Amino acid sequence: SQKIEQNSEALNIQEGKTATLTCNYTNYSPAYLQWYRQDPGRGPVFLLLIRENEKEKRKERLKVTFDTTLKQSLFHITASQPADSATYLCALDTGGFKTIFGAGTRLFVKA
Amino acid sequence: DTGVSQNPRHKITKRGQNVTFRCDPISEHNRLYWYRQTLGQGPEFLTYFQNEAQLEKSRLLSDRFSAERPKGSFSTLEIQRTEQGDSAMYLCASSPEERTHRANYGYTFGSGTRLTVV
C-alpha cells in the first residue's frame, strides 16, 4: 500500500544548529514533493516544492533534497531559531489534483 | 484579498446534529480542496472542485458528507447526523489552475474549522 513516513518523534535541537527532517515514501511515483509548516491551531503554510527531476532546492535558510531512487526527501533548516519551532509536513503530488500528506514531524528549537 | 477564509473557526455540536462549514478561497483560484486533520496526523484529502465542478471525492467522504461550490466561488461542507468520529479540524485550501504558480506557491490553506462532536 502507499505510505508516507516522517519522523514520528519530535526533534529537539539547540538554536543555531541545523535541523534535518526526513520524509520517506513507498509505492508512489510523485511528480513533485512539497514541504509545509504548521503551527498549532492553524492551517499548513507552503514552504518549498521540489520536482522529481531536481536533486536540491534552496530558499533562504531552507534546503530540500529529493532522491527518487531512495524514495526520500530531506528538509534542512540551517541556523535554526526558536521561531522555527513548528510541525513540518511533507506532501506528495503525483501530478493530478490530490496531494497526500505525511503525519508531520514536530520540531523544537531551544534558545 | 486576505487569503483563504473559513467559518466558523470552532463548532461544538451534539451527536446527531447537522453542521455546515464555509470556505471562501482566494478569488483568483479556481481549484478548491477540503481536507480533514485529526490530532497527530497530516491532512487527509476529502474532495476537490475545479470551478463549480466536484471532480474527486475520497472514500472518507461518506453519504453523510456533502460539499458544494455554487458558481465556483465559496464552498460549503455539510455533515449530517454527526458522529463523535467526525471530530477533527476541517481544512480548506485553494490553488490556481496555472501549474507554474502552484509550483512556486503550493496550496493556500485556511485556518480551518475545528469540529467537536459531544
Side-chain angles (χ1 to χ4, degrees), chain A residues 36 38 41 46 51 97 99 102, chain B residues 9 35 37 42 56 103-104 107:
Chain A
Y36 287 79
Q38 188 172 27
F46 174 76
R51 293 180 177 81
F97 45 76
T99 296
Chain B
R9 288 296 311 278
Y35 280 81
Q37 187 175 26
E56 179 74 9
N104 290 329
Y107 299 140

Side-chain angles (χ1 to χ4, degrees), chain B residues 1-115:
Chain B
D1 197 3
T2 56
V4 177
S5 176
Q6 291 190 246
N7 288 288
R9 288 296 311 278
H10 304 275
K11 178 73 177 177
I12 300 174
T13 190
K14 291 184 178 178
R15 192 174 51 188
Q17 298 293 305
N18 300 341
V19 294
T20 300
F21 311 140
R22 177 178 170 123
C23 171
D24 287 272
I26 293 174
S27 55
E28 308 87 70
H29 290 182
N30 62 349
R31 295 186 172 197
L32 186 148
Y33 313 80
W34 284 99
Y35 280 81
R36 181 173 70 185
Q37 187 175 26
T38 53
L39 200 63
Q41 300 299 313
E44 295 175 292
F45 172 81
L46 292 179
T47 191
Y48 156 72
F49 289 86
Q50 183 155 319
N51 299 311
E52 66 275 9
Q54 188 174 19
L55 298 185
E56 179 74 9
K57 288 171 59 173
S58 164
R59 287 173 295 174
L60 293 174
L61 220 62
S62 73
D63 292 345
R64 298 184 296 105
F65 288 70
S66 62
E68 294 183 341
R69 192 183 181 195
K71 303 177 184 176
S73 56
F74 71 91
S75 176
T76 59
L77 177 68
E78 181 183 15
I79 309 174
Q80 296 182 327
R81 305 181 303 281
T82 52
E83 302 172 356
Q84 287 189 318
D86 297 331
S87 296
M89 173 81 88
Y90 289 84
L91 293 162
C92 175
S94 69
S95 73
E97 175 76 31
E98 205 273 317
R99 184 172 291 182
T100 301
H101 184 108
R102 293 208 313 273
N104 290 329
Y105 300 107
Y107 299 140
T108 303
F109 279 86
S111 291
T113 295
R114 179 164 296 286
L115 173 67

